[in-house]
Amino acid sequence: MTDPLEVQADAAQVLRSAFAGDGDGVVGAFDEMVHRGGVEAACELAWGLAATMIGEGLAKGPWRLDFPDIEQAAYDARWVARFLSAYANADLSTATALFRAAQVDGKLEQCLLMLAGSAVATIRKHGCA
């Protein structure tokens, strides 16, 4: 487990970069997290972004993904939807499996960029930025 303050600082850096449209900064923050704490630490960072999007006070699930035609969506969009579903269900093992699958498929960077962009869009939508 990574230091929660460290994860929070890295999440803030990811969001700052995403708000600025700096994809390299987003990826760099995740890469730095991997360098310091391994893939698990980067997954914790992504988990924190999911928390930012879903918010607090979510009723205990089970929640199901309701995204018509999800299989036709781009890989990164499917990944983010499933990652958020895993978060909503407090299913860290599925989130970790999704993270590793994207890594093996060579799509992790693209997925993390989509996740960060989705977090920014959610924050903007709720008027918190």
Side-chain angles (χ1 to χ4, degrees):
M1 184 71 141
T2 308
D3 176 8
L5 292 177
E6 192 174 85
V7 173
Q8 186 177 18
D10 287 325
Q13 179 57 46
V14 166
L15 290 173
R16 276 192 298 277
S17 295
F19 270 109
D22 177 12
D24 290 339
V26 169
V27 172
F30 275 103
D31 286 346
E32 179 59 30
M33 195 70 166
V34 169
H35 179 71
R36 284 194 324 261
V39 173
E40 293 79 15
C43 189
E44 286 180 45
L45 178 52
W47 192 255
L49 290 177
T52 298
M53 294 174 68
I54 293 182
E56 295 181 16
L58 181 67
K60 212 159 171 83
W63 292 95
R64 69 179 183 88
L65 183 63
D66 188 16
F67 188 84
D69 301 320
I70 191 168
E71 292 308 318
Q72 283 69 46
Y75 186 103
D76 55 349
R78 288 191 318 266
W79 187 91
V80 168
R82 289 177 175 139
F83 194 85
L84 291 174
S85 180
Y87 177 83
N89 286 298
D91 187 355
L92 187 55
S93 62
T94 295
T96 301
L98 286 164
F99 206 90
R100 292 193 183 279
Q103 187 179 29
V104 167
D105 291 343
K107 305 278 188 180
L108 185 58
E109 182 176 306
Q110 164 186 342
C111 293
L112 295 175
L113 284 169
M114 175 67 85
L115 180 64
S118 297
V120 165
T122 300
I123 291 167
R124 285 186 174 143
K125 179 181 178 189
H126 294 290
C128 301

